[in-house]
Structures are given as C-alpha cells and as structure tokens.
Amino acid sequence: MTATAAGAVVLALGLAACGGGGGGGGDEGAEAGFNAAVGGIVNKDDKPTGGELKFAMSDDIESTDPGDTYYAYNWDFTRNWARTVLAFRNEPGAAGNELTPDLAEGMGTPSEGGKVWTYKLKQGIKFEDGTPVTAKDVKYAIARSNFSDELQKGPKYFQQYLDAGDYKGPYKDKNLDNFTGIETPDDHTLVFKLKEPFGEFDYLMTIPQTAPVPADKDTGLEYTKHPVSTGPYEFQGDYAPGKGFTLVKNENWDAATDPLRKQMVDKITFQGGQDAQDIDNRLASGDLHIDLAGTGVQAAKKTQILADPSVKKQADNPTTSFLRFFNISTKVAPFDNKACREAVQLAADKVAIQTAWGGPTGGEIATNAMPTTLPGYKRIDPYATPGHKGDVAKAKAKLAECGQPNGFKTNISTRSDRPKEVQAATALQQALAKVGIQASIKDYPSSTYTNEQAGAPSFVKKEELGIMLYGWGPDWPTGFGFFSQISDGRAIKPSGNSNLAELDDPRINDALDKAASSTDQAEREKLYQQIDGWVMESATLLPFVNEKTLLYRPPSLTNMFIHEGYHMYNFTSIGVKP
Amino acid sequence: MTGLEQGVSATLTAPLDVTGTAGEVTPEATLSGAERAIQGRSLGQIAWMRLRRDRVAIAGGIVVILLILMAIFAPLIVRVIGHPPNEWHQEMIDPTLSTAKGVFGGVSLDFLFGVEPLNGRDLFSRVVYGARVSILVGFGATLLSVVIGTFFGVVAGFFGGWVDSVISRVMDVFLAFPLLLFAMSLAGVIPDNAFGLTGDGLRIAILIFVIGFFNWPYVGRIIRGQTLSLREREFVDAARSLGARNGYILRKELLPNLVAPILVYATLLIPTNILFEAALAFLGVGVAPPTATWGGMLSSAVPFYSVAPNFMLAPGLAIFVTVLAFNLLGDGLRDALDPRAR
Amino acid sequence: MIAYVIRRLFTGVVLLLVVSLATFVIFFVVPRLAGASPDTLASRYVGKAPTPQAVQAVKERLGLDDPLIVQYGRFVKGIVAGNEYKAGNDVVLCNTPCFGYSFRNSVEVWPQLMDRLPVTASLAAGAALLWLLAGVSIGVVSALRRGSFFDRLGMTTALAGVSLPVFFTGLVSLALFSYYWEIFPAGGSYTPITENPGLWAYSLVLPWCTLAFLYAAMYARLTRAGMLDTMNEDYIRTARAKGLREGAVVTRHGLRAALTPIVTIFGLDLGLMLGGAVLTESTFGLPGMGKLAVDAIRGSDLPIVLGVTMFTAFFVVIANIIVDLLYAVIDPRVRLG
C-alpha cells in the first residue's frame, strides 16, 4: 500500500477514447500542447490503427496475474486482458474517478443497510477460449487472490470485509461452496456478504482481483504465465517472467459487451528491466511508446522538456493522489507533547523541500492531510507560514510552550534507496536546526522500512524516531481509501504499520466508521473533511507535496489522456499512427 | 612468481633487502637491540636517500600529507573558503529545473566547485569533508588488513606444513569471493545500533571492518612469501643453532625484516581501500546522509551527469588525486626499499 | 594429470560450499544474531499488505521456521537433486541445478541467471580482449624501452588508469561520448548479439573501453614489472651469451616467464568478472549478473544472491584450473602433480 514510487493504487477504467473528451487540445489536427492530455484527449481517433504498441519499464512488471498485483500502473495495464465487475470511466478529467459497470449490468445493489451487495453480470461475455464467463469464475478469482497463502502481492480487502469464517482458500480447500462470503444463486448473480456495512463496497469491484479466473486453468503462482483473458487482448503463448511478453487480439472479446475498451492496435508488447535513461531516449526516438511505470522522466529529459518548448508540448504534468509527508510520532518524547509537534510544523520550509523534490513539476506544496485529487477536498492550512518557508519565531514560541525553549535532539527516518526522500529529510533537518532542534537522519532500506523500522512501533520507540518520512496514495479515490490505513487508531499494527505517528483519536475512528457504513456520498465527503481537519489539528502529519509526475507523450499515439483513476496515461484503447 | 624463482631469490637476497649492504647488515641482527636500531636507521637512511631523489614520489607524498591535513582541518578550511558542508543554498538553484543557476553548475568565487543540484550545497566544502571518511576508512581498513594479513602470513610461512596449507586455502577462498557483493550484503544486514556504537561512528566502523576483513589475504599472501624466504636465511639458521625459540626468532628476526614490505604494501593498499569505500558508497552502502563522502556524492550525481557535470567531476577528481598520490608514494617507497622491483 | 584435475575439481567443490555457506550466513545468521526473528525475516518478503496470516504463510512457504542447518541443507539439495515447490494448484518441479525461487517474484533463479549471463559475458569478453592486447603490449614495450618517452607516457597513463574508479570514468565517458558528442548511445541500451551484432558491439563500446582502461592499466604495470624482473635473470643473460637474437630472447624466454603471473591473475579476474562487473553494469545500466545481484541484495533476495555468488565462485574455480593447465604450456619449468 504504501508509497512506492509507482504508487499505491487508485483504480480506474473507462470508456476508451470514446468518452466525453472535453478539455483542451484534443481536437484532431490541432497542435497538442503541454498538459494537453490532462483533462483532454490528444489525437482522439476511434479508427483502429493496427501496428504494435510498445511498453517498457526499468523494473519487471509486478505481475501479469490480475489477482496478484497492487501497483497503479499494473492495474491500469491489466485492463487490457482482465475485465472487472465494475470499472472507472475511461474518460479524462474528474470523470475518471467515477464508477461504471464493466462485467456487471449495473452498479451494486446494497441491502441490509450495506451489509449485502448484489451484482448482476452481463450475458455473452466469454474467456479467450470461448467459454462463457460465470459468476463462479469471479467468486473463484476472489477466493484465490484473497484467501490463499500463495498469492501475496495484492490487497486483502475481501478477506477483511467478507464474512467468510476461516475459509482456507481454493488451494487448500477444493470445495468452493465452503467459501461462504460470496454466493452465486445463478450463473449471472453475485451476492457478497459482509461482516459489517460498507458504503464504498462498489469501489472494491474495480480491483483486478474481481476479474474472472477459470478454476480449471488456475495454476497458482504459475498462472502469471498465461492469465486467461476476458479483455480485448490475450497473451501470445506463455510468458516467461523477466523476458517480456506480447499481447495479441482476443477473438472472443465482443466490443458490444464492452463500451470501455477498443482494439486499436494489432499487438501490444512489453519489455521489463530496461534502463531508465534509455527508456527516455527511446520514447523520443519513437522506438518505444510508453513507460509502463508512469513515474515520469529522468533528470536529463526533464531539463530538456522544461527548456525546449518543442519538446515541452509533448509532455504532461499531472498531479497524482500521492501525498508525501512526515509523520511526527505521538509516542516519542518530546513529541508526545502536541506543542512540540506544532513547532516542527511551523519550522518546516516547504519551499526548500519542494525544490529538492524536483520543483513545481515534481509536486505542489501540500497543506492538507487529504490529497487534492480526492472528491470533497477543501483547502485548509492550519500551520500557514509566510510563503510556506517556515516561521522561526512562531516555532520557537511553540517550543517554549512545550517546555523545550532551547530545542532538543531527535531523529528523522527515511528510506536510503530513495534519493528524493533523503533530500526531503535533509531539508527538514536544515529547517529544524534553525529553531534549535538537532535532528539526525536515520536511513533504512525501503524493503524493510514499513515492516521492521518506521512501521514497527516498538522499533520507533526504541530508536526514538520522532519524525518519519512517508507517502501514501489511496487505494480508491475517497477519503476512506486514504485515511483508513494511516489515521485510524485501530489500524496500528506491531509490524507493517502505516499509521506511523500512532495517532489514535476517537473522533477520527468514529468518523471513519460512520463514513464506512454510510451510503450517502455527500455525508461521507463531509466526514472526510472533518477527519482532514482533525488529523492536521493533531500535528502528527506534516504534508509537504502532492506529487506530480512529468510524462512524455510520443506524437504518434492516438487517444492519449491522463486517467485520473491511475494518475498516468490510460493504457487501453491507444492507437499508433504509422 | 613461480616457486622456483622465489627459491632462487631467497638464497641470494631477501627480496626487499638492500643489495651490497645485506651481507654485513644481517648478521648484526642477531646481536643486541641497540645495534639493530643502528642497522634499522641505516637501512632507513638508504631508503630515504633513494626516495628523496624520486621527485614524483615526493610529490605524491606531499599531496598525501596535504590531504591528511585537509581532512583534519576541514572545519577550518571550510570556515575560511566555503560554506558549511550541509548548509543548503537554494538561492543558487533554479526553482523550475532544480539545477544551479550560473555557469558550470554555479562555479564562482563564493562556491569554488559550484553547488549541488536540488539543494545548493557547496561542493567544495563537501569534497573537503568527504576526505575525512575516505582517509579514515582507507587507513583503518588497511591497518586491519595488515594486522590480520601479517599474522596469518607469518604463521603460514614460518610453520609451513598443514598450517600453511589451511591458511593458504582460506586465502584462496577469499580471493574467489565476489568481494563487493559480500561487503554490500554484510554492511546491509548490520542493524543501526551495534557494538555500543551508533550513527556515523558505527557505519565507519563497519566499513573499516568489512573492507579490512575482506582484503587481508592480499597482504597475507605477500607476507607469507616473504616469511618463507626469510626462514631459509642464514641469520635465522644461526639464531636457531644458538638455541633461539620460535617466538624469539619470530619477534626478533622475522618481524623487523618484514617491516619494509609491510610498509610498502600498506601504502599501496590504502588507495585500493579508498576506492573500495567509494565503490560501496556509490552502491548505496555507507554513512548516513547528510555526511559527505566522495562515493556517495558520485552516486547522487549519476542522474545529473549531463545537466550538472561539476557535480560528478568534483568528487571524482578528488578520488583520482588522492588515489594517485598514494600510488605514487607507494611506488616510490617500493623502489626505494627494493631496487630490484624496478 | 587426470588425478590432478580431479583433485582440483574436488577442492573447487569445497570452495563452492564455503562460498554458499558464507552467503547464507550473512543473510540468515547475521540478522538472527542482530535480533531478527523468522517473523521479521518473513515480513521482508510479504507484499504491501503484511497481515499476520501473510507473514505466517510466507514463513511456511520459505521454511524460515526450520533450523538454519535444515534451510541450508535444502538449498544444497536443490542444486544437486532439484526441488519441488508448491505453487497453488500445481507443484512445480525445479530441475537440477535448482537454485530455488526468488523470494521477491517467485521466479526460478536459474533461468534468471542464464538470462543475465550473456550480457555480462559480452561485457567481460570484449573488455578482456581489449585490456589483454593493450595492457600486455604496452607493458612489454615499456619494459624493453625502459626510461624512454613511450615508457614514461605509458606508465603515467597506467598509473592514472589504476587510480580512477570505474564508475567515474564511466560517467565521464557517458557525458562526453553520449551526451555532448552523441557518438555512442546512453547507458542501458543493450542489444543481444543474436539480434543484431552491429548494435550489440555499438552499445557496448563505452562499457568495454571503460572497463578495459582500468584493467589494461593494471596489466601494463604488472607486465612491465614482470618483464624487468625476468630480463635481469641469469638464464636470460645466458641466452644472450649463447648468441640468441634479442627478439628470440624476449619472446621465447622473457615473455614466457613474465606471462605466467599475468595468466594467473587474468584467470581470476575473468572468473570474478563473469559473476558480474557490478560497478560497470550499474554505471551503464547494463542488465547483467552484477546488476541482478545488487538489486537482489537491496531486496534481501537470498536465492538470487546465492545464485550469483555461487556462479562467480564457480567461474573462478574453473578459470583457476584452466590457468594451471595453461601454465604447463607456457612455463616449461612447471610440472603438474
């Protein structure tokens, strides 16, 4: 869930290119400019182009198995071969955050106050081998991805919410009827039984884990070699992890059942393990079309984009839902005193951090705990300082209030293999020194950061990690998707904890419960605003940027837009002009 | 060299002995300590005479001394010429591009080597401070390697037989290790608080241990060879026939004669270890930020090599000059102590 | 002769075991001594949702609760006899030599190593050819014309070469040849030789030269020193006294003896390099063994690290045996036995 460069996730999907392409610069023939694909469609053209669409990435893809992934880029890409029960609209702008049916005929029908959710599946949807998709295939897919020991990479929301007893998953328990969390009264009806009411259950239906998997084709961890497609493209042969793969047209995909996607090209290829700088060069030369990671270009390319207008018009700079922040511990002295936390809030020079993070194209200065992209966001700035540069006098006053007029010593933890985070931590260290707080930087590998150091409260206390650098993106675009892991006092765990500050405020906990059970969106958004305010008031979270990425958009691609659900290009329905 | 060659040289002269004087100097070694001191001086004097004539080596030596002084007096130098190494100067940074304003990465009288992208830290100060970690680790690790290497080298060479076989095989194993990978792994799994140390102190101690520990076989091999040849020398036989015990022979006869090669190889090992430290820092294993190290600076400079070349040139050239100076001095020392090696 | 090879192979196997044991100790025993429990170890390999059930599952799957000796035994058994792994509905058979599955992405280690080997081998082969040719010839000429301008120039350059870290030379050459003059491609653009030999060579020119510069410098210094040593030997004087032509003295007697230590070191260097030219690969973004290992170390992916270190040690062992056999050919004084 956290903070990996590629981002935790926000889902989405939608109407390929065909959706209401409002927005600037989308008209065919017109010159596309900088940010033209943010809120608009560049080279909108529904005519199939044929040809090959080439993706590459510096790492290998997380997984091709829709049941075993957690990265936004992966969820975006997976839609080419995996259809989910619901999806995000495939449209630019805010519409990308709205839900729409995909396999289902309509949205979920809640009953028993949101404790039971029912979905009806469309008729006539087939797997790539022509077998019809049934409700059982969806049920099986959720069982394997959420209840087995083998598939560990994806989220476990269904395990958390479904009332499934101690079901052991389909690999240990071969009888799917023992999985009581989902009922399938007929081949086209899914009935989800929850432990408690959950108003935002529809959002879970967009997770690729709801893409059907035929039980007789499931090979567990090996399924990644050839996931059975329901989307417009299917795997050509078996994919050997680490070697890249080719997707070809799925003859059994029927456009009539799928208004969200288009078969624009003949095939789609992916290569992993490519050098990041090289990817930038190949995007420019046209040898490659899209960087799958969606995290933006490297420093050299960035300079070129920002300095050369003819290159700049081929770039987009969307804001992601990723918030970068410092958590200030409530358990490490002297931060157990709120005034000391406030002193840090007031001392921080957010402009310095932003510049070190890559300047305005790297992120916009954040003042809320809630990311700007979420519905219901309302700007607040309880620790405003002149020009966001910090206020030494006010900070010192707060230090005096907490009984530390001459400052104190503390530690800032960060992830050693993330240069930007090290820079941000150093920036805060500098600012704190000005008010007399001597902070040492403790750097840990990102592979153990959440499980063994910052995310392990006993370690935090022992090593006195007063300030911890972190980042978070919601798994679905609502306040609940964002706050439920990082601000709920009951979410504090001995290891793998994401509520690093160990904030446990009954008002916030209650508001989250209320929001979870509410099916009224306006009411929920109001609750999230309140939570945002309370989190900031506690001074446990010092936000500094809402992350932005700088992406290069090759001129040859059609139907290009930034999908707000994933905060990168929409990876479906793209054409390649010859 | 092959075994045969070593045998030949051993019967003629000890490899690092001074030809001509060897005949009269060595027998005296068996006599009292006072006279040995005279002999040591004379050997040292001859070497010093030779070294003095080697202008390149002297230049290397001077640079080495300057570097050490620079490391020791870093705070003073920086106070006079630069800015504190960790102080941010974002007023020097273009906020849009995140790189330095001005020519060649912001080089000016105020910032001699320009500034670091993103945060505007003074590269000159960071290079000066970076010398501290490099030289500390370089010397520390070398000392450790020399101590371990000399001990096992002497033991293997002096006792021979199965002891020699075991130690030699162990050294072979070390030489077959991908050292960098092992050092990286080991440095990565040691927690943040250990052996009563924490922070930079602990990290530096770990670096010294890891580098010194993995490099000892290079010293060990050479010392073993030297000991093997010394063991067969007349003065050792003489001491033995006079009834001297092993411990005595080791301490009084062998070690003094090993001082010269140890000195030479230690001087040559220091630059190797400095490079090793830089490589580890480059790969992300080293002291915690914001402490400056040359390897760490180079690693941060990678994404900026095209837009801020001064960022990589400053620490890169610092490593180059330092390593070159030590190598020149080491080469000169070897030539001075062993004319045959020319 | 055959007995000799067999004996060497046996010691080679012992060496491999020691290397594997050392790697294993670093990743599993040292952290334990430092206070990590099987749970904390397992939590490193859980995805982004480290629920207690997930940690438990990983612990069971990787057998982290077993005594260390059992875990190590399982690894060794895998190499010799293969292993079976549970992968959900299927049981996957991992054939000999089985280095197990990556803790991170559950992909078998062996094919990953095989994937990376051609990259590293391409890098090592090209660079080795360059540095042997350049290093040895400069060293020989410098020794024969000791004190000449060529000698001074050559040795100064060589000294500079051994004093430059390869990651710095690499960056400078990238900045100059790729960014400013745009002669060679930027880092990371590796093309397999089977796909396009021209592009393959083109993309490797910079890494080859960077790596060869360092090694050529070392070899030039070694060769020169070795040549000077041998040319002072009595038997060379004898050969000269016999009236042999200088050319024959140099090649037949001098070079032969001077080359023996070079061959030993070359064997070791090449062997180590086949296990990954860590720094060069990192600098140029080449997807070779070294980069694989560095990434694996960062992710504590023990099976991959073990695979790479074993691979490296294996190459060193083989290289050493070949070198010793070559000795007998080069230096008539050496007898195997």
Side-chain angles (χ1 to χ4, degrees):
Chain A
M1 37 204 80
T2 55
T4 3
V9 174
V10 181
L11 345 188
L13 176 64
L15 284 195
C18 29
D27 297 316
E28 210 185 344
E31 187 86 338
F34 182 58
N35 266 340
V38 179
I41 300 177
V42 175
N43 293 332
K44 181 165 159 36
D45 186 353
D46 289 350
K47 211 167 88 245
T49 56
E52 179 181 343
L53 177 64
K54 297 176 191 166
F55 285 84
M57 180 170 162
S58 58
D59 292 324
D60 198 9
I61 188 170
E62 185 193 17
S63 177
T64 57
D65 181 344
D68 205 21
T69 86
Y70 210 153
Y71 281 88
Y73 78 84
N74 214 336
W75 289 14
D76 187 353
F77 196 37
T78 301
R79 295 177 302 153
N80 281 301
W81 61 90
R83 293 182 63 181
T84 46
V85 174
L86 301 180
F88 289 104
R89 305 186 81 88
N90 227 4
E91 294 168 33
N97 274 333
E98 291 166 18
L99 296 175
T100 187
D102 190 353
L103 291 173
E105 286 177 339
M107 307 298 282
T109 317
S111 51
E112 296 180 33
K115 230 178 138 177
V116 174
W117 288 77
T118 307
Y119 297 85
K120 285 271 180 202
L121 299 186
K122 287 174 192 161
Q123 306 281 340
I125 294 174
K126 292 175 188 154
F127 285 113
E128 62 180 60
D129 58 0
T131 340
V133 168
T134 69
K136 267 209 164 56
D137 299 319
V138 175
K139 178 178 177 177
Y140 180 80
I142 292 173
R144 71 190 278 277
S145 60
N146 275 266
F147 294 89
S148 78
D149 289 345
E150 282 76 12
L151 304 185
Q152 287 295 353
K153 287 185 216 155
K156 301 288 176 204
Y157 287 113
F158 292 103
Q159 195 187 56
Q160 183 185 336
Y161 288 112
L162 292 182
D163 186 11
D166 58 352
Y167 175 61
K168 294 279 182 234
Y171 302 137
K172 283 196 178 129
D173 184 346
K174 300 283 174 197
N175 185 356
L176 197 58
D177 292 339
N178 292 337
F179 177 30
T180 53
I182 303 175
E183 283 172 8
T184 50
D186 61 59
D187 274 356
H188 293 89
T189 308
L190 284 158
V191 183
F192 292 83
K193 309 228 158 165
L194 278 57
K195 291 174 191 153
E196 273 147 38
F198 183 38
E200 294 181 355
F201 192 73
D202 269 348
Y203 283 104
L204 298 189
M205 288 297 120
T206 66
I207 299 178
Q209 292 175 339
T210 69
V213 171
D216 58 342
K217 297 277 167 57
D218 181 22
T219 45
L221 284 171
E222 304 276 289
Y223 185 67
T224 186
K225 290 181 178 169
H226 193 124
V228 184
S229 171
T230 46
Y233 294 91
E234 65 180 49
F235 279 75
Q236 187 178 50
D238 274 1
Y239 145 67
K243 292 222 179 186
F245 52 81
T246 302
L247 301 170
V248 294
K249 284 182 176 174
N250 173 5
E251 300 301 333
N252 278 301
W253 171 80
D254 181 359
T257 68
D258 189 353
L260 298 174
R261 304 168 181 81
K262 297 237 172 304
Q263 270 177 345
M264 300 292 291
V265 291
D266 296 332
K267 59 178 181 175
I268 299 174
T269 55
F270 167 75
Q271 280 181 296
Q274 306 296 300
D275 182 72
Q277 301 245 12
D278 193 41
I279 289 178
D280 285 347
N281 295 335
R282 284 159 64 195
L283 285 175
S285 74
D287 179 38
L288 198 67
H289 299 120
I290 295 178
D291 179 1
L292 184 65
T295 47
V297 298
Q298 307 296 304
K301 191 74 192 172
K302 177 182 166 180
T303 311
Q304 200 194 354
I305 287 174
L306 296 179
D308 182 347
S310 70
V311 187
K312 189 173 180 181
K313 69 182 169 59
Q314 292 306 135
D316 294 296
N317 188 210
T319 304
T320 73
S321 60
F322 238 79
L323 182 76
R324 300 289 174 178
F325 55 86
F326 291 97
N327 262 145
I328 308 173
S329 176
T330 55
K331 302 287 182 208
V332 175
F335 292 123
D336 44 359
N337 183 330
K338 185 176 154 193
C340 275
R341 302 198 293 267
E342 288 173 324
V344 173
Q345 297 268 4
L346 291 164
D349 177 351
K350 293 185 182 177
V351 177
I353 306 178
Q354 182 199 31
T355 308
W357 198 266
T361 53
E364 53 194 30
I365 287 179
T367 55
N368 293 51
M370 191 167 172
T372 52
T373 53
L374 296 187
Y377 167 85
K378 207 173 121 202
R379 189 173 185 280
I380 50 170
D381 190 359
Y383 306 102
T385 60
H388 300 295
K389 283 174 160 298
D391 189 326
V392 174
K394 273 194 191 167
K396 281 193 166 157
K398 279 289 173 193
L399 278 180
E401 190 185 321
C402 92
Q404 304 276 354
N406 301 319
F408 49 88
K409 284 194 170 161
T410 189
N411 298 304
I412 304 178
S413 74
T414 181
R415 286 175 272 211
S416 54
D417 41 4
R418 300 200 180 164
K420 278 183 172 182
E421 298 197 350
V422 172
Q423 291 287 341
T426 320
L428 184 66
Q429 182 190 38
Q430 288 286 306
L432 292 183
K434 285 184 189 152
V435 301
I437 302 174
Q438 305 300 325
S440 306
I441 293 181
K442 301 274 182 183
D443 57 335
Y444 306 103
S446 56
S447 57
T448 60
Y449 192 68
T450 309
N451 292 337
E452 294 173 38
Q453 287 103 19
S458 58
F459 187 91
V460 169
K461 199 158 172 56
K462 192 174 113 239
E463 299 292 319
E464 298 185 339
L465 305 182
I467 305 173
M468 293 159 276
L469 199 137
Y470 213 44
W472 198 259
D475 283 359
W476 61 87
T478 72
F480 189 84
F482 185 76
F483 287 116
S484 61
Q485 289 299 311
I486 63 167
S487 302
D488 189 333
R490 298 153 302 180
I492 300 170
K493 287 176 271 191
S495 156
N497 178 32
S498 297
N499 181 353
L500 301 190
E502 295 170 70
L503 171 65
D504 191 2
D505 180 339
R507 290 176 304 176
I508 297 174
N509 303 351
D510 289 349
L512 281 168
D513 285 348
K514 227 193 245 170
S517 56
S518 166
T519 47
D520 174 6
Q521 181 163 357
E523 188 198 352
R524 290 200 303 250
E525 283 177 12
K526 202 152 177 237
L527 284 165
Y528 300 145
Q529 283 175 9
Q530 278 182 326
I531 295 172
D532 189 10
W534 288 325
V535 171
M536 288 310 293
E537 185 196 304
S538 75
T540 54
L541 188 148
L542 162 56
F544 54 89
V545 290
N546 286 292
E547 187 151 76
K548 296 179 83 173
T549 52
L550 189 61
L551 304 168
Y552 181 77
R553 158 175 36 84
S556 61
L557 301 186
T558 65
N559 297 329
M560 288 292 279
F561 68 90
I562 298 292
H563 197 301
E564 288 297 320
Y566 307 99
H567 303 291
M568 52 188 76
Y569 292 116
N570 163 46
F571 291 157
T572 65
S573 316
I574 298 171
V576 182
K577 283 191 285 191
Chain B
M1 311 288 122
T2 60
L4 185 73
E5 259 181 83
Q6 217 160 47
V8 170
S9 61
T11 50
L12 294 176
T13 66
L16 282 187
D17 244 329
V18 183
T19 23
T21 52
E24 52 189 66
V25 168
T26 39
E28 283 169 11
T30 56
L31 298 176
S32 78
E35 271 150 325
R36 221 179 36 257
I38 293 165
Q39 171 244 324
R41 255 206 316 280
S42 70
L43 182 65
Q45 273 166 353
I46 294 164
W48 171 235
M49 217 175 62
R50 285 216 184 88
L51 189 64
R52 225 170 25 185
R53 262 187 256 134
D54 187 345
R55 267 186 251 147
V56 183
I58 289 297
I62 290 172
V63 173
V64 164
I65 291 169
L66 287 178
L67 281 166
I68 294 171
L69 290 176
M70 180 174 99
I72 294 172
F73 295 108
L76 219 63
I77 298 171
V78 164
R79 195 179 305 159
V80 178
I81 312 181
H83 306 259
N86 298 328
E87 190 176 273
W88 286 36
H89 289 275
Q90 278 180 329
E91 70 277 6
M92 299 293 296
I93 298 292
D94 177 327
T96 318
L97 297 177
S98 311
T99 48
K101 296 174 189 164
V103 288
F104 203 66
V107 170
S108 66
L109 273 180
D110 205 17
F111 294 91
L112 289 178
F113 297 168
V115 297
E116 190 177 334
L118 300 176
N119 50 36
R121 290 187 290 207
D122 183 354
L123 287 177
F124 172 77
S125 306
R126 293 186 71 71
V127 165
V128 170
Y129 267 84
R132 300 187 131 190
V133 176
S134 285
I135 290 181
L136 192 58
V137 173
F139 273 93
T142 303
L143 187 68
L144 184 65
S145 295
V146 166
V147 169
I148 307 179
T150 306
F151 177 77
F152 285 106
V154 168
V155 167
F158 188 74
F159 293 103
W162 66 269
V163 178
D164 185 23
S165 300
V166 169
I167 293 176
S168 295
R169 286 296 85 75
V170 170
M171 292 196 286
D172 283 351
V173 169
F174 267 86
L175 293 174
F177 269 31
L179 293 189
L180 208 50
L181 296 184
F182 269 77
M184 246 188 107
S185 315
L186 197 56
V189 296
I190 292 178
D192 204 54
N193 261 324
F195 321 116
L197 289 168
T198 181
D200 281 358
L202 175 71
R203 302 269 183 119
I204 288 175
I206 292 173
L207 285 173
I208 290 177
F209 172 76
V210 166
I211 298 174
F213 181 71
F214 281 116
N215 270 339
W216 72 264
Y218 289 97
V219 181
R221 278 190 148 191
I222 288 158
I223 299 302
R224 173 183 166 269
Q226 301 282 337
T227 312
L228 268 179
S229 65
L230 283 173
R231 196 177 61 169
E232 308 302 328
R233 294 281 298 276
E234 303 87 346
F235 62 88
V236 176
D237 285 342
R240 203 170 269 139
S241 60
L242 287 172
R245 289 206 214 116
N246 278 347
Y248 178 86
I249 296 176
L250 268 178
R251 266 182 295 119
K252 302 283 174 182
E253 307 295 344
L254 290 184
L255 280 182
N257 280 296
L258 287 173
V259 168
I262 289 173
L263 189 65
V264 168
Y265 287 102
T267 315
L268 288 171
L269 195 56
I270 290 172
T272 312
N273 286 343
I274 288 177
L275 284 176
F276 203 140
E277 187 272 333
L280 282 176
F282 181 77
L283 293 170
V285 180
V287 297
T291 305
T293 63
W294 294 338
M297 288 170 78
L298 265 175
S299 159
S300 317
V302 173
F304 297 98
Y305 75 79
S306 54
V307 289
N310 63 314
F311 190 14
M312 73 169 179
L313 286 175
L317 292 177
I319 297 177
F320 174 59
V321 169
T322 309
V323 172
L324 184 66
F326 274 104
N327 276 334
L328 287 173
L329 179 65
D331 279 3
L333 268 181
R334 188 188 51 206
D335 294 347
L337 290 163
D338 175 20
R340 270 176 45 87
R342 277 236 149 212
Chain C
M1 173 77 182
I2 289 170
Y4 171 79
V5 172
I6 289 173
R7 211 173 64 220
R8 287 302 304 263
L9 282 175
F10 176 75
T11 45
V13 169
V14 173
L15 180 84
L16 288 176
L17 277 176
V18 173
V19 169
S20 69
L21 190 63
T23 317
F24 185 82
V25 164
I26 285 178
F27 279 88
F28 280 83
V29 183
V30 176
R32 284 267 186 106
L33 294 177
S37 67
D39 275 331
T40 44
L41 286 179
S43 73
R44 287 181 192 176
Y45 310 112
V46 185
K48 293 198 277 184
T51 60
Q53 298 94 308
V55 171
Q56 186 60 30
V58 167
K59 212 163 61 175
E60 276 169 27
R61 190 154 52 90
L62 303 179
L64 294 173
D65 264 339
D66 297 337
L68 290 169
I69 186 78
V70 174
Q71 295 185 42
Y72 179 66
R74 193 164 40 223
F75 171 74
V76 175
K77 178 190 162 249
I79 297 173
V80 183
N83 251 336
E84 285 182 347
Y85 286 86
K86 227 179 64 180
N89 275 353
D90 271 18
V91 169
V92 188
L93 184 71
C94 169
N95 288 318
T96 313
C98 170
F99 283 89
Y101 282 76
S102 156
F103 283 174
R104 291 257 161 234
N105 61 8
S106 307
V107 176
E108 217 182 312
V109 174
W110 183 252
Q112 295 198 63
L113 295 178
M114 287 298 125
D115 252 14
R116 304 300 189 105
L117 186 59
V119 182
T120 301
S122 303
L123 178 64
L129 191 70
L130 281 178
W131 91 58
L132 262 190
L133 286 178
V136 172
S137 50
I138 291 174
V140 170
V141 176
S142 283
L144 295 180
R145 304 212 186 130
R146 188 174 161 187
S148 69
F149 176 73
F150 180 91
D151 181 27
R152 278 159 195 269
L153 183 72
M155 285 307 108
T156 311
T157 316
L159 195 63
V162 294
S163 303
L164 280 166
V166 62
F167 43 91
F168 179 57
T169 338
L171 278 179
V172 172
S173 65
L174 273 177
L176 292 179
F177 294 99
S178 158
Y179 184 74
Y180 288 109
W181 299 327
E182 297 181 11
I183 304 173
F184 293 110
S189 46
Y190 173 78
T191 315
I193 191 170
T194 47
E195 232 169 70
N196 184 335
L199 267 184
W200 169 80
Y202 178 61
S203 64
L204 283 171
V205 170
L206 280 187
W208 278 341
C209 293
T210 304
L211 200 51
F213 182 49
L214 169 69
Y215 280 87
M218 293 195 316
Y219 280 56
R221 280 160 64 88
L222 282 171
T223 311
R224 181 175 177 275
M227 277 301 277
L228 286 181
D229 246 15
T230 27
M231 295 308 278
N232 279 336
E233 293 287 350
D234 292 344
Y235 67 92
I236 297 282
R237 245 172 279 154
T238 316
R240 282 206 181 108
K242 277 197 310 193
L244 273 182
R245 273 181 304 111
E246 186 62 19
V249 174
V250 170
T251 48
R252 214 175 298 159
H253 297 277
L255 201 51
R256 255 193 171 179
L259 270 188
T260 17
I262 302 283
V263 169
T264 323
I265 294 166
F266 181 71
L268 200 67
D269 282 343
L270 196 63
L272 280 172
M273 193 172 289
L274 283 173
V278 178
L279 294 167
T280 312
E281 288 172 18
S282 296
T283 311
F284 288 95
L286 291 171
M289 302 268 281
K291 196 150 181 292
L292 179 73
V294 168
D295 291 344
I297 290 172
R298 290 197 178 125
S300 331
D301 199 345
L302 175 77
I304 300 228
V305 182
L306 263 178
V308 177
T309 51
M310 294 282 290
F311 229 59
T312 313
F314 172 78
F315 281 127
V316 172
V317 169
I318 297 297
N320 273 338
I321 294 176
I322 294 174
V323 161
D324 285 353
L325 295 178
L326 273 181
Y327 260 20
V329 181
I330 297 176
D331 194 335
R333 291 169 303 179
V334 175
R335 293 272 172 276
L336 299 176

